[in-house]
Amino acid sequence: MYRRAYALLVATALAIGAWAVVTAIIIDRPLIDPEGSFLGPSWLRLPLLCIGALLLDLVPRALWVSKGRVTEMPGIVRERLRTHWNRDRVLLVMLGIVCFYVIYVCYRNLKSFLPLVSDRMYDRELHLVDRILFFGHEPAGIIHDVLGRTVVAHVLSTFYLLFIPMVAILVTVWLVWSKNLSFGWWFVTSQGLAWTLGTISYYALPTLGPGLEYPHLYDLAHTGTTDLMNSLVNARQNVLWSDGQAQTVAGFASLHTGISLLWALMVQYTVQSRPLRILFWVNFWLTVVATLYFGWHYVADDIAGVLIALVSFYIGGIATGQKFDRHGLASHPTTTTAAVPVDRT
């Protein structure tokens, strides 16, 4: 039923996996687990993540519905397993988690390998493009003058740093709780494509980003983003000149922008809550501003991130059989209702 979706997801995972393995062999560097020893080795972590997704759905629901009455909990769990955790749901959760984990781990490794593969950087060219777009002015200077350098810095830093935990959280939400299974496949397939296309863009046009290449332009209040940027610089130096294992500096394209837009699009097209739609669009625009404000990215990086999101969203929609209404603000599967499992619990 979702053969195209999971075929594309698996193919994406295999492709980026092969790319990572070949690159590691060529530069004689080991593939590493970006999350370190958290929850143990990968062979243990993956089943734990799948079991964790199951428990995250069953346990709170049983406690809430039973209102703490222990004797009612087994029946509530059995009913949820029967109505929600059917074969299609289990396949979505297990395959979605495994493939996304593979894609993300390979993305992190390939991003880390980048300075060892090529020392060519295009920061000067993209910086010139920024100045042209802003009529000879520095984009950072204009944004800082308009927004200030203290209070807004802390607000934008908070939104920017929320991105990393939200990556895993939102994948889990769509896999476990999407009432229409096609929306779960759409989300995770589009995510896999976006992270893979973003990795390709890093190699196509390597950059450090304006905050690292032109740090004198970013005299801002000290925030969590400041500490993060300093740690990334140190990690990159350790990889290049010492025994460091991983670095995560790469500017073009902005996956913060791309993934945040992809989240907003998925909420717009698959969630009926207007407040949630507004929240995710606000998050997207604040993320775009933050990328320029702190110097994580050039304007071209954000534009490329938007394109990556749109391409991934569209291809994922085709693979999962989506059809947009004439206003372009909602979607529904192209197959019949009977052919698309919908959780009605």
Side-chain angles (χ1 to χ4, degrees), residues 228-290:
L228 176 60
M229 188 170 286
N230 290 336
S231 70
L232 296 186
V233 171
N234 293 333
R236 178 181 172 83
Q237 295 301 322
N238 287 334
V239 167
L240 289 174
W241 311 116
S242 185
D243 57 353
Q245 286 192 317
Q247 70 88 35
T248 56
V249 175
F252 183 91
S254 171
L255 280 183
H256 267 74
T257 295
I259 299 301
S260 296
L261 175 56
L262 195 51
W263 293 341
L265 288 170
M266 289 302 306
V267 171
Q268 180 70 46
Y269 281 82
T270 68
V271 177
Q272 297 301 314
S273 170
R274 180 177 175 82
L276 275 179
R277 290 178 174 180
I278 294 173
L279 176 64
F280 275 87
W281 281 112
V282 168
N283 176 71
F284 163 65
W285 286 111
L286 287 177
T287 299
V288 172
V289 173

Side-chain angles (χ1 to χ4, degrees), residues 4 180 182-183 186 269-270 313-314 316-336 340:
R4 287 187 305 178
N180 189 313
S182 74
F183 293 162
W186 189 6
Y269 281 82
T270 68
F313 182 73
Y314 180 70
I318 292 175
T320 54
Q322 308 300 324
K323 183 173 66 175
F324 305 121
D325 67 14
R326 63 179 180 176
H327 302 294
L329 298 177
S331 70
H332 56 84
T334 56
T335 51
T336 63
V340 180

Side-chain angles (χ1 to χ4, degrees), residues 13-36:
L14 290 175
I16 195 171
W19 180 14
V21 170
V22 170
T23 305
I25 293 172
I26 291 174
I27 66 174
D28 193 25
R29 299 279 293 198
L31 291 170
I32 63 170
D33 188 335
E35 305 306 326

Side-chain angles (χ1 to χ4, degrees), residues 31-73:
L31 291 170
I32 63 170
D33 188 335
E35 305 306 326
S37 60
F38 177 67
L39 290 181
S42 298
W43 61 265
L44 176 62
R45 184 178 305 124
L46 288 175
L48 284 178
L49 289 173
C50 293
I51 294 172
L54 175 66
L55 295 178
L56 190 63
D57 177 59
L58 295 179
V59 174
R61 182 181 181 85
L63 290 171
W64 177 263
V65 175
S66 68
K67 298 181 179 179
R69 292 187 287 269
V70 178
T71 56
E72 296 182 10
M73 292 182 186

Side-chain angles (χ1 to χ4, degrees), residues 208-230:
L208 295 177
L212 276 66
E213 186 70 10
Y214 308 100
H216 61 281
L217 298 175
Y218 299 89
D219 183 19
L220 303 169
H222 189 99
T223 65
T225 298
T226 309
D227 295 331
L228 176 60
M229 188 170 286
N230 290 336

Side-chain angles (χ1 to χ4, degrees), residues 49-342:
L49 289 173
C50 293
I51 294 172
L54 175 66
L55 295 178
L56 190 63
D57 177 59
L58 295 179
V59 174
R61 182 181 181 85
L63 290 171
W64 177 263
V65 175
S66 68
K67 298 181 179 179
R69 292 187 287 269
V70 178
T71 56
E72 296 182 10
M73 292 182 186
I76 295 171
V77 169
R78 287 193 298 269
E79 176 67 13
R80 184 64 170 174
L81 288 172
R82 183 184 66 81
T83 58
H84 187 79
W85 289 93
N86 53 37
R87 184 179 62 181
D88 290 325
R89 175 71 62 180
V90 171
L91 176 64
L92 169 61
V93 171
M94 293 184 63
L95 195 60
I97 288 177
V98 170
C99 287
F100 182 77
Y101 184 84
V102 169
I103 291 168
Y104 186 73
V105 167
C106 292
Y107 152 80
R108 288 286 298 272
N109 276 274
L110 287 165
K111 189 176 185 180
S112 182
F113 294 159
L114 181 56
L116 304 175
V117 173
S118 172
D119 58 359
R120 179 72 173 95
M121 290 292 162
Y122 294 89
D123 288 272
R124 180 177 178 275
E125 291 83 351
L126 293 190
H127 184 231
L128 289 174
V129 171
D130 273 6
R131 289 180 62 88
I132 291 171
L133 292 174
F134 282 75
F135 303 101
H137 300 285
E138 293 289 349
I142 294 175
I143 295 173
H144 297 161
D145 289 342
V146 172
L147 299 179
R149 291 172 168 80
T150 53
V151 175
V152 171
H154 289 280
V155 173
L156 291 177
S157 177
T158 300
F159 272 90
Y160 198 84
L161 295 178
L162 281 173
F163 177 84
I164 295 300
M166 290 300 290
V167 169
I169 290 171
L170 291 180
V171 168
T172 303
V173 166
W174 255 268
L175 292 179
V176 174
W177 288 292
S178 55
K179 292 188 174 182
N180 189 313
L181 290 177
S182 74
F183 293 162
W185 284 112
W186 189 6
F187 188 92
V188 72
T189 302
S190 298
Q191 287 283 312
L193 287 170
W195 289 98
T196 302
L197 291 174
T199 308
I200 293 172
S201 71
Y202 292 158
Y203 280 75
L205 202 68
T207 63
L208 295 177
L212 276 66
E213 186 70 10
Y214 308 100
H216 61 281
L217 298 175
Y218 299 89
D219 183 19
L220 303 169
H222 189 99
T223 65
T225 298
T226 309
D227 295 331
L228 176 60
M229 188 170 286
N230 290 336
S231 70
L232 296 186
V233 171
N234 293 333
R236 178 181 172 83
Q237 295 301 322
N238 287 334
V239 167
L240 289 174
W241 311 116
S242 185
D243 57 353
Q245 286 192 317
Q247 70 88 35
T248 56
V249 175
F252 183 91
S254 171
L255 280 183
H256 267 74
T257 295
I259 299 301
S260 296
L261 175 56
L262 195 51
W263 293 341
L265 288 170
M266 289 302 306
V267 171
Q268 180 70 46
Y269 281 82
T270 68
V271 177
Q272 297 301 314
S273 170
R274 180 177 175 82
L276 275 179
R277 290 178 174 180
I278 294 173
L279 176 64
F280 275 87
W281 281 112
V282 168
N283 176 71
F284 163 65
W285 286 111
L286 287 177
T287 299
V288 172
V289 173
T291 63
L292 303 175
Y293 183 90
F294 291 111
W296 288 110
H297 295 287
Y298 302 100
V299 174
D301 300 349
D302 286 333
I303 294 173
V306 168
L307 293 176
I308 285 173
L310 294 175
V311 169
S312 302
F313 182 73
Y314 180 70
I315 294 177
I318 292 175
T320 54
Q322 308 300 324
K323 183 173 66 175
F324 305 121
D325 67 14
R326 63 179 180 176
H327 302 294
L329 298 177
S331 70
H332 56 84
T334 56
T335 51
T336 63
T337 303
V340 180
V342 177

